[in-house]
Amino acid sequence: MGARQYRAMVRKDLLTELRTRETVVAMFLFVVLAMVVFHYAFTVAGGGPLSFYTGGMVWVVFVFGALLGLNRSFAHEKDENVLDGLLLCPVDRVTIFLAKMTGNLIFLGIIQVVALPVFALFFAPQASVARLPALLGLILLADLGIATLGTLLATIAMQTRARDLLLPIVFLPLAIPLVIAAASATSTLLSAGGDVSAVLGRLAFVLVYDGIFLVLAYGTYDVAIGE
């Protein structure tokens, strides 16, 4: 029953977004415009972008783009008074978290599929294709951490009147370790002499970060969504 409920909630979020296109379009426009601005802002006199900043730029863009989607995670349920009915249903609240987290992860992934080619064109034309699997693995792990932490905090912020202001204030400080590790590893993988073995420690850190917040969300989500 839990698996069916999980699939139903994920499908509902995806169909709602397919009809409204509120979240993905806003995230996409922000990411592309930010990359265009960074491209011209960090272009040196010789004509090429400053590759030293590439990892930091891409993850700053992705994190702030993700915040646009996270702020909308429970917008329909809260504004249309659907959440109370959902909580009265015989469904494990952790299943609600997993479904919402999956939806946020999918939306972020869709944006990255479109944005990464733009990023590679502007900032990393010299990147080696051989390091692409490691880069994709890093992005997936970092996205999981963003979606896990963001969904948990979006649930807590949903209960307040100033949820659009509260979520970034709480989310960004807690996401800083993840962003630093992901940005550093991304810059290494995209540099001309980068080596996959040099980022294994950062990949392990991101994996541990994901595990900590998954366990934290599993243990506290009943309280977070019920208060």
Side-chain angles (χ1 to χ4, degrees), residues 57-93:
M57 283 187 290
V58 73
W59 282 107
V60 165
V61 171
F62 285 161
V63 166
F64 279 93
L67 273 173
L68 295 176
L70 292 170
N71 266 325
R72 301 291 302 169
S73 293
F74 290 91
H76 294 289
E77 286 84 353
K78 190 68 174 178
D79 295 342
E80 299 173 13
N81 297 319
V82 176
L83 186 62
D84 291 338
L86 183 62
L87 294 177
L88 290 174
C89 294
V91 53
D92 189 352
R93 294 180 180 182

Side-chain angles (χ1 to χ4, degrees), residues 109-123:
I110 291 173
I111 298 306
Q112 289 172 335
V113 166
V114 179
L116 281 174
V118 179
F119 167 78
L121 176 66
F122 284 165
F123 301 109

Side-chain angles (χ1 to χ4, degrees), residues 95-108:
T95 304
I96 300 175
F97 165 77
L98 292 175
K100 285 295 182 181
M101 183 196 71
T102 302
N104 289 325
L105 192 61
I106 291 173
F107 296 150
L108 182 56

Side-chain angles (χ1 to χ4, degrees), residues 154-178:
T155 305
I156 298 172
M158 170 190 63
Q159 313 294 340
T160 67
R161 294 182 179 178
R163 60 178 182 268
D164 292 340
L165 298 176
L166 180 62
L167 179 59
I169 293 173
V170 180
F171 173 82
L172 291 174
L174 292 175
I176 284 176
L178 175 65

Side-chain angles (χ1 to χ4, degrees), residues 1-224:
M1 182 180 295
R4 289 202 305 271
Q5 295 167 336
Y6 167 80
R7 289 194 299 268
M9 284 186 283
V10 172
R11 182 173 178 270
K12 185 266 297 180
D13 285 345
L14 295 179
L15 289 177
T16 300
E17 178 58 29
L18 187 63
R19 293 191 186 103
T20 63
R21 297 182 179 88
E22 294 176 351
T23 302
V24 171
V25 171
M27 293 170 66
F28 172 75
L29 289 176
F30 172 81
V31 168
V32 173
L33 289 174
M35 284 189 175
V36 171
V37 171
F38 281 151
H39 169 64
Y40 288 103
F42 288 94
T43 297
V44 296
L50 297 174
S51 59
F52 180 78
Y53 299 105
T54 52
M57 283 187 290
V58 73
W59 282 107
V60 165
V61 171
F62 285 161
V63 166
F64 279 93
L67 273 173
L68 295 176
L70 292 170
N71 266 325
R72 301 291 302 169
S73 293
F74 290 91
H76 294 289
E77 286 84 353
K78 190 68 174 178
D79 295 342
E80 299 173 13
N81 297 319
V82 176
L83 186 62
D84 291 338
L86 183 62
L87 294 177
L88 290 174
C89 294
V91 53
D92 189 352
R93 294 180 180 182
V94 174
T95 304
I96 300 175
F97 165 77
L98 292 175
K100 285 295 182 181
M101 183 196 71
T102 302
N104 289 325
L105 192 61
I106 291 173
F107 296 150
L108 182 56
I110 291 173
I111 298 306
Q112 289 172 335
V113 166
V114 179
L116 281 174
V118 179
F119 167 78
L121 176 66
F122 284 165
F123 301 109
Q126 80 289 349
S128 173
V129 179
R131 294 192 289 270
L132 183 60
L135 179 61
L136 294 178
L138 169 67
I139 291 173
L140 180 60
L141 288 175
D143 286 354
L144 180 60
I146 292 171
T148 301
L149 174 63
T151 303
L152 177 61
L153 296 181
T155 305
I156 298 172
M158 170 190 63
Q159 313 294 340
T160 67
R161 294 182 179 178
R163 60 178 182 268
D164 292 340
L165 298 176
L166 180 62
L167 179 59
I169 293 173
V170 180
F171 173 82
L172 291 174
L174 292 175
I176 284 176
L178 175 65
V179 173
I180 292 174
S184 175
T186 300
S187 294
T188 301
L189 292 173
L190 293 178
S191 63
D195 186 11
V196 175
S197 61
V199 302
L200 292 180
R202 294 161 197 150
L203 286 171
F205 175 84
V206 175
L207 185 61
V208 171
Y209 181 98
D210 294 351
I212 289 173
F213 280 100
L214 279 170
V215 172
L216 182 64
Y218 180 82
T220 64
Y221 201 72
D222 281 354
V223 177

